[in-house]
PDB file of all heavy atoms in Angstrom:
ATOM      1  N   SER D   2       0.813  -1.222   0.000  1.00 92.00           N
ATOM      2  CA  SER D   2       0.000   0.000   0.000  1.00 92.00           C
ATOM      3  C   SER D   2       0.847   1.273   0.000  1.00 92.00           C
ATOM      4  O   SER D   2       0.307   2.373  -0.072  1.00 92.00           O
ATOM      5  CB  SER D   2      -0.936   0.002   1.209  1.00 92.00           C
ATOM      6  OG  SER D   2      -0.191   0.099   2.413  1.00 92.00           O
ATOM      7  N   PHE D   3       2.173   1.131   0.073  1.00 91.00           N
ATOM      8  CA  PHE D   3       3.061   2.295   0.096  1.00 91.00           C
ATOM      9  C   PHE D   3       2.931   3.095  -1.191  1.00 91.00           C
ATOM     10  O   PHE D   3       2.919   2.536  -2.278  1.00 91.00           O
ATOM     11  CB  PHE D   3       4.514   1.850   0.291  1.00 91.00           C
ATOM     12  CG  PHE D   3       5.488   2.982   0.328  1.00 91.00           C
ATOM     13  CD1 PHE D   3       5.546   3.833   1.420  1.00 91.00           C
ATOM     14  CD2 PHE D   3       6.350   3.210  -0.725  1.00 91.00           C
ATOM     15  CE1 PHE D   3       6.447   4.887   1.468  1.00 91.00           C
ATOM     16  CE2 PHE D   3       7.259   4.248  -0.699  1.00 91.00           C
ATOM     17  CZ  PHE D   3       7.306   5.092   0.406  1.00 91.00           C
ATOM     18  N   GLN D   4       2.816   4.422  -1.077  1.00 92.00           N
ATOM     19  CA  GLN D   4       2.641   5.282  -2.252  1.00 92.00           C
ATOM     20  C   GLN D   4       3.742   6.322  -2.398  1.00 92.00           C
ATOM     21  O   GLN D   4       3.625   7.224  -3.215  1.00 92.00           O
ATOM     22  CB  GLN D   4       1.294   5.985  -2.157  1.00 92.00           C
ATOM     23  CG  GLN D   4       0.164   5.018  -1.989  1.00 92.00           C
ATOM     24  CD  GLN D   4      -0.845   5.076  -3.083  1.00 92.00           C
ATOM     25  OE1 GLN D   4      -0.939   6.049  -3.802  1.00 92.00           O
ATOM     26  NE2 GLN D   4      -1.612   4.024  -3.221  1.00 92.00           N
ATOM     27  N   GLY D   5       4.772   6.248  -1.598  1.00 93.00           N
ATOM     28  CA  GLY D   5       5.886   7.186  -1.716  1.00 93.00           C
ATOM     29  C   GLY D   5       5.802   8.318  -0.717  1.00 93.00           C
ATOM     30  O   GLY D   5       4.815   8.481   0.003  1.00 93.00           O
ATOM     31  N   ALA D   6       6.852   9.100  -0.712  1.00 95.00           N
ATOM     32  CA  ALA D   6       6.947  10.234   0.207  1.00 95.00           C
ATOM     33  C   ALA D   6       5.962  11.332  -0.186  1.00 95.00           C
ATOM     34  O   ALA D   6       5.579  11.451  -1.352  1.00 95.00           O
ATOM     35  CB  ALA D   6       8.368  10.785   0.190  1.00 95.00           C
ATOM     36  N   ILE D   7       5.573  12.116   0.795  1.00 95.00           N
ATOM     37  CA  ILE D   7       4.689  13.254   0.556  1.00 95.00           C
ATOM     38  C   ILE D   7       5.557  14.494   0.391  1.00 95.00           C
ATOM     39  O   ILE D   7       6.435  14.764   1.211  1.00 95.00           O
ATOM     40  CB  ILE D   7       3.700  13.431   1.729  1.00 95.00           C
ATOM     41  CG1 ILE D   7       2.806  12.191   1.833  1.00 95.00           C
ATOM     42  CG2 ILE D   7       2.872  14.695   1.562  1.00 95.00           C
ATOM     43  CD1 ILE D   7       1.958  12.143   3.085  1.00 95.00           C
ATOM     44  N   ALA D   8       5.308  15.248  -0.668  1.00 95.00           N
ATOM     45  CA  ALA D   8       6.071  16.471  -0.939  1.00 95.00           C
ATOM     46  C   ALA D   8       5.480  17.608  -0.110  1.00 95.00           C
ATOM     47  O   ALA D   8       4.591  18.324  -0.558  1.00 95.00           O
ATOM     48  CB  ALA D   8       6.031  16.796  -2.430  1.00 95.00           C
ATOM     49  N   GLU D   9       5.974  17.772   1.112  1.00 96.00           N
ATOM     50  CA  GLU D   9       5.422  18.735   2.054  1.00 96.00           C
ATOM     51  C   GLU D   9       6.006  20.136   1.908  1.00 96.00           C
ATOM     52  O   GLU D   9       5.416  21.104   2.366  1.00 96.00           O
ATOM     53  CB  GLU D   9       5.637  18.233   3.486  1.00 96.00           C
ATOM     54  CG  GLU D   9       4.887  16.940   3.756  1.00 96.00           C
ATOM     55  CD  GLU D   9       5.261  16.294   5.079  1.00 96.00           C
ATOM     56  OE1 GLU D   9       6.345  16.592   5.623  1.00 96.00           O
ATOM     57  OE2 GLU D   9       4.453  15.471   5.550  1.00 96.00           O
ATOM     58  N   LYS D  10       7.170  20.248   1.282  1.00 97.00           N
ATOM     59  CA  LYS D  10       7.801  21.554   1.120  1.00 97.00           C
ATOM     60  C   LYS D  10       7.114  22.342   0.001  1.00 97.00           C
ATOM     61  O   LYS D  10       6.490  21.768  -0.884  1.00 97.00           O
ATOM     62  CB  LYS D  10       9.289  21.394   0.774  1.00 97.00           C
ATOM     63  CG  LYS D  10      10.130  20.880   1.908  1.00 97.00           C
ATOM     64  CD  LYS D  10      11.590  20.866   1.476  1.00 97.00           C
ATOM     65  CE  LYS D  10      12.510  20.565   2.628  1.00 97.00           C
ATOM     66  NZ  LYS D  10      13.910  20.720   2.235  1.00 97.00           N
ATOM     67  N   LYS D  11       7.303  23.649   0.047  1.00 97.00           N
ATOM     68  CA  LYS D  11       6.741  24.512  -1.004  1.00 97.00           C
ATOM     69  C   LYS D  11       7.563  24.438  -2.286  1.00 97.00           C
ATOM     70  O   LYS D  11       7.040  24.664  -3.365  1.00 97.00           O
ATOM     71  CB  LYS D  11       6.682  25.959  -0.526  1.00 97.00           C
ATOM     72  CG  LYS D  11       5.646  26.203   0.539  1.00 97.00           C
ATOM     73  CD  LYS D  11       5.597  27.666   0.921  1.00 97.00           C
ATOM     74  CE  LYS D  11       4.553  27.874   2.011  1.00 97.00           C
ATOM     75  NZ  LYS D  11       4.467  29.282   2.404  1.00 97.00           N
ATOM     76  N   ALA D  12       8.873  24.143  -2.151  1.00 98.00           N
ATOM     77  CA  ALA D  12       9.746  24.138  -3.324  1.00 98.00           C
ATOM     78  C   ALA D  12      10.830  23.069  -3.191  1.00 98.00           C
ATOM     79  O   ALA D  12      11.320  22.797  -2.089  1.00 98.00           O
ATOM     80  CB  ALA D  12      10.400  25.507  -3.490  1.00 98.00           C
ATOM     81  N   TYR D  13      11.179  22.487  -4.333  1.00 98.00           N
ATOM     82  CA  TYR D  13      12.247  21.493  -4.432  1.00 98.00           C
ATOM     83  C   TYR D  13      13.146  21.897  -5.597  1.00 98.00           C
ATOM     84  O   TYR D  13      12.651  22.402  -6.618  1.00 98.00           O
ATOM     85  CB  TYR D  13      11.677  20.093  -4.679  1.00 98.00           C
ATOM     86  CG  TYR D  13      10.857  19.584  -3.520  1.00 98.00           C
ATOM     87  CD1 TYR D  13       9.510  19.908  -3.398  1.00 98.00           C
ATOM     88  CD2 TYR D  13      11.442  18.798  -2.538  1.00 98.00           C
ATOM     89  CE1 TYR D  13       8.762  19.460  -2.324  1.00 98.00           C
ATOM     90  CE2 TYR D  13      10.704  18.335  -1.455  1.00 98.00           C
ATOM     91  CZ  TYR D  13       9.360  18.675  -1.353  1.00 98.00           C
ATOM     92  OH  TYR D  13       8.627  18.230  -0.289  1.00 98.00           O
ATOM     93  N   HIS D  14      14.453  21.652  -5.439  1.00 98.00           N
ATOM     94  CA  HIS D  14      15.424  22.024  -6.470  1.00 98.00           C
ATOM     95  C   HIS D  14      16.355  20.845  -6.715  1.00 98.00           C
ATOM     96  O   HIS D  14      16.896  20.272  -5.772  1.00 98.00           O
ATOM     97  CB  HIS D  14      16.252  23.223  -6.011  1.00 98.00           C
ATOM     98  CG  HIS D  14      15.422  24.376  -5.545  1.00 98.00           C
ATOM     99  ND1 HIS D  14      14.770  25.220  -6.409  1.00 98.00           N
ATOM    100  CD2 HIS D  14      15.115  24.807  -4.299  1.00 98.00           C
ATOM    101  CE1 HIS D  14      14.108  26.125  -5.709  1.00 98.00           C
ATOM    102  NE2 HIS D  14      14.301  25.895  -4.425  1.00 98.00           N
ATOM    103  N   THR D  15      16.566  20.522  -7.987  1.00 98.00           N
ATOM    104  CA  THR D  15      17.476  19.429  -8.313  1.00 98.00           C
ATOM    105  C   THR D  15      18.269  19.770  -9.565  1.00 98.00           C
ATOM    106  O   THR D  15      17.766  20.443 -10.466  1.00 98.00           O
ATOM    107  CB  THR D  15      16.715  18.097  -8.472  1.00 98.00           C
ATOM    108  OG1 THR D  15      17.647  17.024  -8.524  1.00 98.00           O
ATOM    109  CG2 THR D  15      15.853  18.077  -9.714  1.00 98.00           C
ATOM    110  N   ILE D  16      19.505  19.320  -9.578  1.00 98.00           N
ATOM    111  CA  ILE D  16      20.369  19.521 -10.739  1.00 98.00           C
ATOM    112  C   ILE D  16      20.820  18.145 -11.227  1.00 98.00           C
ATOM    113  O   ILE D  16      21.263  17.310 -10.441  1.00 98.00           O
ATOM    114  CB  ILE D  16      21.570  20.442 -10.413  1.00 98.00           C
ATOM    115  CG1 ILE D  16      22.434  20.688 -11.655  1.00 98.00           C
ATOM    116  CG2 ILE D  16      22.377  19.935  -9.245  1.00 98.00           C
ATOM    117  CD1 ILE D  16      23.441  21.822 -11.482  1.00 98.00           C
ATOM    118  N   TYR D  17      20.656  17.931 -12.519  1.00 98.00           N
ATOM    119  CA  TYR D  17      21.080  16.670 -13.138  1.00 98.00           C
ATOM    120  C   TYR D  17      22.456  16.877 -13.748  1.00 98.00           C
ATOM    121  O   TYR D  17      22.678  17.831 -14.484  1.00 98.00           O
ATOM    122  CB  TYR D  17      20.082  16.232 -14.217  1.00 98.00           C
ATOM    123  CG  TYR D  17      18.837  15.627 -13.633  1.00 98.00           C
ATOM    124  CD1 TYR D  17      17.842  16.421 -13.084  1.00 98.00           C
ATOM    125  CD2 TYR D  17      18.656  14.249 -13.603  1.00 98.00           C
ATOM    126  CE1 TYR D  17      16.699  15.871 -12.525  1.00 98.00           C
ATOM    127  CE2 TYR D  17      17.517  13.687 -13.052  1.00 98.00           C
ATOM    128  CZ  TYR D  17      16.552  14.502 -12.515  1.00 98.00           C
ATOM    129  OH  TYR D  17      15.426  13.946 -11.958  1.00 98.00           O
ATOM    130  N   GLN D  18      23.360  15.968 -13.431  1.00 98.00           N
ATOM    131  CA  GLN D  18      24.741  16.011 -13.893  1.00 98.00           C
ATOM    132  C   GLN D  18      24.890  15.074 -15.081  1.00 98.00           C
ATOM    133  O   GLN D  18      24.685  13.869 -14.956  1.00 98.00           O
ATOM    134  CB  GLN D  18      25.645  15.565 -12.744  1.00 98.00           C
ATOM    135  CG  GLN D  18      27.074  15.326 -13.128  1.00 98.00           C
ATOM    136  CD  GLN D  18      27.876  14.784 -11.953  1.00 98.00           C
ATOM    137  OE1 GLN D  18      27.505  14.930 -10.805  1.00 98.00           O
ATOM    138  NE2 GLN D  18      28.992  14.143 -12.261  1.00 98.00           N
ATOM    139  N   LEU D  19      25.250  15.628 -16.233  1.00 98.00           N
ATOM    140  CA  LEU D  19      25.473  14.806 -17.423  1.00 98.00           C
ATOM    141  C   LEU D  19      26.921  14.996 -17.869  1.00 98.00           C
ATOM    142  O   LEU D  19      27.275  16.043 -18.409  1.00 98.00           O
ATOM    143  CB  LEU D  19      24.500  15.181 -18.546  1.00 98.00           C
ATOM    144  CG  LEU D  19      24.614  14.386 -19.834  1.00 98.00           C
ATOM    145  CD1 LEU D  19      24.413  12.884 -19.588  1.00 98.00           C
ATOM    146  CD2 LEU D  19      23.613  14.888 -20.865  1.00 98.00           C
ATOM    147  N   ASP D  20      27.753  13.988 -17.622  1.00 98.00           N
ATOM    148  CA  ASP D  20      29.171  14.072 -17.981  1.00 98.00           C
ATOM    149  C   ASP D  20      29.600  12.900 -18.861  1.00 98.00           C
ATOM    150  O   ASP D  20      30.764  12.562 -18.930  1.00 98.00           O
ATOM    151  CB  ASP D  20      30.043  14.170 -16.733  1.00 98.00           C
ATOM    152  CG  ASP D  20      29.897  12.980 -15.799  1.00 98.00           C
ATOM    153  OD1 ASP D  20      29.094  12.079 -16.082  1.00 98.00           O
ATOM    154  OD2 ASP D  20      30.603  12.955 -14.770  1.00 98.00           O
ATOM    155  N   SER D  21      28.646  12.309 -19.557  1.00 98.00           N
ATOM    156  CA  SER D  21      28.924  11.159 -20.416  1.00 98.00           C
ATOM    157  C   SER D  21      28.337  11.387 -21.807  1.00 98.00           C
ATOM    158  O   SER D  21      27.258  11.967 -21.943  1.00 98.00           O
ATOM    159  CB  SER D  21      28.298   9.901 -19.810  1.00 98.00           C
ATOM    160  OG  SER D  21      28.358   8.824 -20.725  1.00 98.00           O
ATOM    161  N   ASN D  22      29.042  10.913 -22.818  1.00 97.00           N
ATOM    162  CA  ASN D  22      28.520  10.998 -24.183  1.00 97.00           C
ATOM    163  C   ASN D  22      27.832   9.700 -24.614  1.00 97.00           C
ATOM    164  O   ASN D  22      27.440   9.556 -25.766  1.00 97.00           O
ATOM    165  CB  ASN D  22      29.636  11.354 -25.169  1.00 97.00           C
ATOM    166  CG  ASN D  22      30.725  10.296 -25.219  1.00 97.00           C
ATOM    167  OD1 ASN D  22      30.703   9.311 -24.483  1.00 97.00           O
ATOM    168  ND2 ASN D  22      31.695  10.504 -26.089  1.00 97.00           N
ATOM    169  N   ASP D  23      27.669   8.768 -23.696  1.00 98.00           N
ATOM    170  CA  ASP D  23      26.986   7.510 -23.986  1.00 98.00           C
ATOM    171  C   ASP D  23      25.510   7.807 -24.278  1.00 98.00           C
ATOM    172  O   ASP D  23      24.817   8.364 -23.418  1.00 98.00           O
ATOM    173  CB  ASP D  23      27.112   6.572 -22.792  1.00 98.00           C
ATOM    174  CG  ASP D  23      26.384   5.250 -22.981  1.00 98.00           C
ATOM    175  OD1 ASP D  23      25.779   5.019 -24.054  1.00 98.00           O
ATOM    176  OD2 ASP D  23      26.395   4.436 -22.044  1.00 98.00           O
ATOM    177  N   PRO D  24      25.024   7.469 -25.470  1.00 98.00           N
ATOM    178  CA  PRO D  24      23.631   7.754 -25.807  1.00 98.00           C
ATOM    179  C   PRO D  24      22.634   7.219 -24.776  1.00 98.00           C
ATOM    180  O   PRO D  24      21.629   7.869 -24.487  1.00 98.00           O
ATOM    181  CB  PRO D  24      23.437   7.071 -27.162  1.00 98.00           C
ATOM    182  CG  PRO D  24      24.804   7.022 -27.752  1.00 98.00           C
ATOM    183  CD  PRO D  24      25.735   6.829 -26.588  1.00 98.00           C
ATOM    184  N   LYS D  25      22.905   6.054 -24.204  1.00 98.00           N
ATOM    185  CA  LYS D  25      21.993   5.506 -23.198  1.00 98.00           C
ATOM    186  C   LYS D  25      21.936   6.402 -21.962  1.00 98.00           C
ATOM    187  O   LYS D  25      20.874   6.584 -21.373  1.00 98.00           O
ATOM    188  CB  LYS D  25      22.421   4.086 -22.796  1.00 98.00           C
ATOM    189  CG  LYS D  25      22.181   3.069 -23.884  1.00 98.00           C
ATOM    190  CD  LYS D  25      22.595   1.684 -23.435  1.00 98.00           C
ATOM    191  CE  LYS D  25      22.357   0.679 -24.564  1.00 98.00           C
ATOM    192  NZ  LYS D  25      22.760  -0.672 -24.173  1.00 98.00           N
ATOM    193  N   THR D  26      23.065   6.971 -21.580  1.00 98.00           N
ATOM    194  CA  THR D  26      23.103   7.858 -20.410  1.00 98.00           C
ATOM    195  C   THR D  26      22.408   9.178 -20.718  1.00 98.00           C
ATOM    196  O   THR D  26      21.655   9.698 -19.881  1.00 98.00           O
ATOM    197  CB  THR D  26      24.563   8.097 -19.971  1.00 98.00           C
ATOM    198  OG1 THR D  26      25.177   6.830 -19.699  1.00 98.00           O
ATOM    199  CG2 THR D  26      24.623   8.969 -18.733  1.00 98.00           C
ATOM    200  N   ILE D  27      22.634   9.725 -21.900  1.00 98.00           N
ATOM    201  CA  ILE D  27      21.983  10.978 -22.299  1.00 98.00           C
ATOM    202  C   ILE D  27      20.470  10.775 -22.328  1.00 98.00           C
ATOM    203  O   ILE D  27      19.704  11.584 -21.776  1.00 98.00           O
ATOM    204  CB  ILE D  27      22.504  11.460 -23.672  1.00 98.00           C
ATOM    205  CG1 ILE D  27      23.994  11.805 -23.581  1.00 98.00           C
ATOM    206  CG2 ILE D  27      21.688  12.667 -24.160  1.00 98.00           C
ATOM    207  CD1 ILE D  27      24.668  12.015 -24.928  1.00 98.00           C
ATOM    208  N   GLU D  28      20.035   9.699 -22.956  1.00 98.00           N
ATOM    209  CA  GLU D  28      18.596   9.409 -23.037  1.00 98.00           C
ATOM    210  C   GLU D  28      18.000   9.159 -21.660  1.00 98.00           C
ATOM    211  O   GLU D  28      16.875   9.569 -21.375  1.00 98.00           O
ATOM    212  CB  GLU D  28      18.368   8.225 -23.981  1.00 98.00           C
ATOM    213  CG  GLU D  28      18.670   8.587 -25.427  1.00 98.00           C
ATOM    214  CD  GLU D  28      18.915   7.395 -26.339  1.00 98.00           C
ATOM    215  OE1 GLU D  28      18.651   6.242 -25.918  1.00 98.00           O
ATOM    216  OE2 GLU D  28      19.379   7.626 -27.474  1.00 98.00           O
ATOM    217  N   LYS D  29      18.757   8.501 -20.805  1.00 98.00           N
ATOM    218  CA  LYS D  29      18.298   8.259 -19.436  1.00 98.00           C
ATOM    219  C   LYS D  29      18.120   9.580 -18.688  1.00 98.00           C
ATOM    220  O   LYS D  29      17.132   9.768 -17.974  1.00 98.00           O
ATOM    221  CB  LYS D  29      19.295   7.362 -18.708  1.00 98.00           C
ATOM    222  CG  LYS D  29      18.911   7.024 -17.287  1.00 98.00           C
ATOM    223  CD  LYS D  29      19.966   6.112 -16.680  1.00 98.00           C
ATOM    224  CE  LYS D  29      19.674   5.758 -15.257  1.00 98.00           C
ATOM    225  NZ  LYS D  29      20.746   4.952 -14.648  1.00 98.00           N
ATOM    226  N   ALA D  30      19.065  10.503 -18.852  1.00 98.00           N
ATOM    227  CA  ALA D  30      18.962  11.811 -18.191  1.00 98.00           C
ATOM    228  C   ALA D  30      17.706  12.545 -18.657  1.00 98.00           C
ATOM    229  O   ALA D  30      16.937  13.066 -17.839  1.00 98.00           O
ATOM    230  CB  ALA D  30      20.205  12.651 -18.475  1.00 98.00           C
ATOM    231  N   ILE D  31      17.477  12.576 -19.952  1.00 98.00           N
ATOM    232  CA  ILE D  31      16.294  13.250 -20.501  1.00 98.00           C
ATOM    233  C   ILE D  31      15.017  12.582 -19.990  1.00 98.00           C
ATOM    234  O   ILE D  31      14.074  13.252 -19.561  1.00 98.00           O
ATOM    235  CB  ILE D  31      16.353  13.269 -22.045  1.00 98.00           C
ATOM    236  CG1 ILE D  31      17.519  14.163 -22.515  1.00 98.00           C
ATOM    237  CG2 ILE D  31      15.028  13.736 -22.637  1.00 98.00           C
ATOM    238  CD1 ILE D  31      17.860  14.020 -23.990  1.00 98.00           C
ATOM    239  N   ARG D  32      15.006  11.269 -20.016  1.00 98.00           N
ATOM    240  CA  ARG D  32      13.837  10.516 -19.538  1.00 98.00           C
ATOM    241  C   ARG D  32      13.605  10.763 -18.043  1.00 98.00           C
ATOM    242  O   ARG D  32      12.478  11.008 -17.607  1.00 98.00           O
ATOM    243  CB  ARG D  32      14.037   9.024 -19.815  1.00 98.00           C
ATOM    244  CG  ARG D  32      12.850   8.149 -19.457  1.00 98.00           C
ATOM    245  CD  ARG D  32      13.061   6.680 -19.843  1.00 98.00           C
ATOM    246  NE  ARG D  32      14.213   6.087 -19.165  1.00 98.00           N
ATOM    247  CZ  ARG D  32      15.373   5.784 -19.757  1.00 98.00           C
ATOM    248  NH1 ARG D  32      15.548   5.991 -21.036  1.00 98.00           N
ATOM    249  NH2 ARG D  32      16.367   5.251 -19.066  1.00 98.00           N
ATOM    250  N   ASN D  33      14.678  10.721 -17.248  1.00 98.00           N
ATOM    251  CA  ASN D  33      14.554  10.956 -15.806  1.00 98.00           C
ATOM    252  C   ASN D  33      13.992  12.334 -15.509  1.00 98.00           C
ATOM    253  O   ASN D  33      13.138  12.492 -14.632  1.00 98.00           O
ATOM    254  CB  ASN D  33      15.913  10.809 -15.114  1.00 98.00           C
ATOM    255  CG  ASN D  33      16.393   9.389 -14.948  1.00 98.00           C
ATOM    256  OD1 ASN D  33      17.484   9.169 -14.450  1.00 98.00           O
ATOM    257  ND2 ASN D  33      15.611   8.405 -15.360  1.00 98.00           N
TER     258      ASN D  33
END
């Protein structure tokens, strides 16, 4: 029955690091 954490904050900030030219990694970053 677990549904994940509740986003209780007003704002969230995240930075995605892309340092690979591997197409699978690039596509994964975009998909994520």
